[in-house]
Amino acid sequence: MMRLPILSRALSIVSAAIAISTGIVVTLGFFVNFAELANLRLIFLEWAVLLAAIALLVGLVNLLRVHLNKVRDGGATAFYSFVLVVGMIATFGLGMFFGPDHPIPLWIFNNIQIPVETALMAILAVSLAYASARLLHRRATVFAVVFLVTTLFVLLGTGSYPWGEITLLVELKSWISRVPATAGARGILLGVALGTIATGLRVLMGVDRPYGG
Amino acid sequence: MLLFLGLIVGLAVFNRRRSFLALRAIPAFVKLRRAIGLAVEDGSRLHLSLGSGGVLDQRSAAAFVGLSMLRRVADITSVSDQPPIATTGEATLAILAQDTLQSAFEKMGASAQYDPTSARLTGVTPFSYAAGTLPVIADEMVSSNLLAGSFVNEAALITDASERGQNFSLAGTDDLTGQAILYASAQEPLIGEELFAGGAYLEAGALHNASLHAQDILRYLVILTILGGAVLRFLGIL
């Protein structure tokens, strides 16, 4: 739907005002010990959860629309899109009719969804082995060598052998996990935490407006 | 938080008056700019994968960074025949991505080019999201894949599809396991806080640069505090 520029501008300002004020109230609710503020924060969060549930339905309609377009256009992947559309409508219909805890929707989940995702996990193991093998071809750096050597030692230290475990490798793996890996992970997590705060502040200041505008 | 806020505002004012606080070079973003330029020239598409992080949980920051990068990429590629395409594994994020693209097109006066299906939810679990994203990379004339958001294991499937399509891939996540996986599988991985610098490196504005410098200053403060604590402990004072 095309929006008039003036309407778009007004929407942008109103959205920014609502987002910034709500963000400030929710943030203050965490830090300030004031009952009314805490209650208001909870109300806002409940609204957000409700809106997220509605957003899921909107997202599914969007997904359905994309694949209906693909079925209509034909092409090499139209059949897969058709299967997706039929599967989606059937699962949604059965779930709505019987309820999500009924054996039929649960059977679909346990016997289709979980095996498919497990198969993808198995493909992932192959993909990662291939990616690691190609790493030096892609980036021949000291860090890439360290990454690969560490991966190799951790794998060897984790593996089981017919003659039992190799003590040296197990101890090496344990040391890698306890010392360099933990130190590196903490450093990365500190950076991520600072980045998260910076992003939150930019949203609160209206510099980042992920709601458009 | 107040210190952070003060630093951002202070550095933004400082940068405006004397613009010499340069950003340190991150080669991944230089290559991304080149990939965006090439995509505009050859009429191919850029695909932004925004991950499965929701806007209501602790992974929201990574999702917001992805949205800011989507906005900048949409602005930069507005002259292209092929608008960028965004995929997400979280419904709220999909709606925000649609809104971001629509706003970008409206700002450029090209509202007619906006297609609501150019930002889409491809799955609601991490693996179904990755599975739904693979055909987008393979079938929709994508030449570069930018993964910016919250990913874990599923990211390897997306980068693998990118590799098979001989596409450029730049990827960053807020998750530690995801970062290790992306280090091995993406052409240009973003480590640690580099993901959160995306907006600044895509020239999203002076405040993005200021927040990045504030982040750097605070990181050095944290490092000094940790080292100081270790020294005091070694000396038996703490």
Side-chain angles (χ1 to χ4, degrees), chain A residues 8 117 134 139 202 208 211, chain B residues 99 106 125 183 208 211:
Chain A
S8 183
E117 296 214 357
R134 281 181 57 90
R139 268 197 314 278
R202 283 201 305 266
D208 273 357
Y211 36 83
Chain B
D99 204 32
E106 276 172 4
T125 63
Y183 187 78
H208 273 267
S211 82

Side-chain angles (χ1 to χ4, degrees), chain A residues 46-82:
Chain A
E46 279 170 15
W47 286 357
V49 170
L50 194 68
L51 285 173
I54 296 166
L56 181 60
L57 284 177
V58 176
L60 290 176
V61 170
N62 175 258
L63 182 63
L64 193 65
R65 188 174 163 185
V66 168
H67 286 277
L68 281 172
N69 285 345
K70 283 190 176 180
V71 172
R72 199 181 49 228
D73 295 344
T77 58
F79 177 71
Y80 302 117
S81 293
F82 175 74

Side-chain angles (χ1 to χ4, degrees), chain A residues 1-4 8 27 31 45 48-52 54-60 62-63 65-67 69-70 77 84 109 113 117 120-121 123-124 127-128 130-132 134-135 138-139 141-145 147 184-205 207-213, chain B residues 1 4-5 8-9 56 58 61 64-65 67-68 71 90-92 94-100 102-103 106 111-112 114-117 119-128 131 135-136 139-140 153-154 156-157 160 163 173-174 176 179-189 191-193 196 207-208 211-212 215 218-219 222 226:
Chain A
M1 190 178 71
M2 212 163 80
R3 295 194 295 223
L4 291 170
S8 183
T27 311
F31 295 108
L45 289 177
V49 170
L50 194 68
L51 285 173
I54 296 166
L56 181 60
L57 284 177
V58 176
L60 290 176
N62 175 258
L63 182 63
R65 188 174 163 185
V66 168
H67 286 277
N69 285 345
K70 283 190 176 180
T77 58
L84 184 137
F109 185 74
Q113 179 79 14
E117 296 214 357
L120 282 172
M121 192 67 151
I123 293 171
L124 181 72
S127 296
L128 272 178
Y130 177 67
S132 301
R134 281 181 57 90
L135 181 60
R138 204 185 300 124
R139 268 197 314 278
T141 61
V142 178
F143 293 114
V145 174
F147 181 87
R186 282 182 186 164
I188 289 174
L189 284 176
L190 279 172
V192 170
L194 287 173
T196 303
I197 298 171
T199 308
L201 285 173
R202 283 201 305 266
V203 174
L204 279 181
M205 291 163 79
V207 178
D208 273 357
R209 275 171 284 180
Y211 36 83
Chain B
M1 267 182 75
F4 215 138
L5 189 64
I8 292 174
V9 175
L56 294 178
Q58 70 271 28
F64 288 149
V65 169
L67 286 171
S68 247
R71 176 61 194 249
E90 210 271 336
T92 326
I95 293 176
L96 292 175
Q98 285 172 355
D99 204 32
T100 300
Q102 188 176 16
S103 302
E106 276 172 4
S111 303
Y114 170 67
D115 173 10
T117 61
R120 64 185 80 149
L121 176 76
T122 55
V124 291
T125 63
F127 275 106
S128 64
V136 174
D139 304 332
E140 304 209 18
N153 303 325
E154 74 280 6
L157 293 173
D160 182 53
E163 185 83 26
T173 172
D174 58 346
L176 272 179
Q179 287 188 22
I181 283 172
L182 290 175
Y183 187 78
S185 62
Q187 274 180 18
E188 294 297 334
I191 304 299
E193 72 279 11
F196 299 94
L207 275 161
H208 273 267
S211 82
L212 189 58
Q215 222 173 293
L218 283 172
R219 193 175 57 244
V222 170
I226 291 171

Side-chain angles (χ1 to χ4, degrees), chain B residues 24-108:
Chain B
R24 67 191 157 88
I26 298 181
F29 287 114
V30 176
K31 288 181 185 167
L32 175 64
R33 292 298 296 239
R34 198 181 306 145
I36 293 173
L38 285 172
V40 172
E41 274 177 28
D42 68 12
S44 57
R45 292 182 106 164
L46 267 120
H47 164 236
L48 276 100
S49 212
L50 300 173
S52 305
V55 293
L56 294 178
D57 55 37
Q58 70 271 28
R59 299 180 298 169
S60 58
F64 288 149
V65 169
L67 286 171
S68 247
M69 288 168 87
L70 173 65
R71 176 61 194 249
R72 278 303 295 152
V73 168
D75 286 346
I76 298 167
T77 58
S78 60
V79 289
S80 167
D81 297 336
Q82 297 285 348
I85 188 162
T87 54
T88 85
E90 210 271 336
T92 326
L93 200 52
I95 293 176
L96 292 175
Q98 285 172 355
D99 204 32
T100 300
L101 283 176
Q102 188 176 16
S103 302
F105 281 112
E106 276 172 4
K107 190 183 159 201
M108 298 294 163

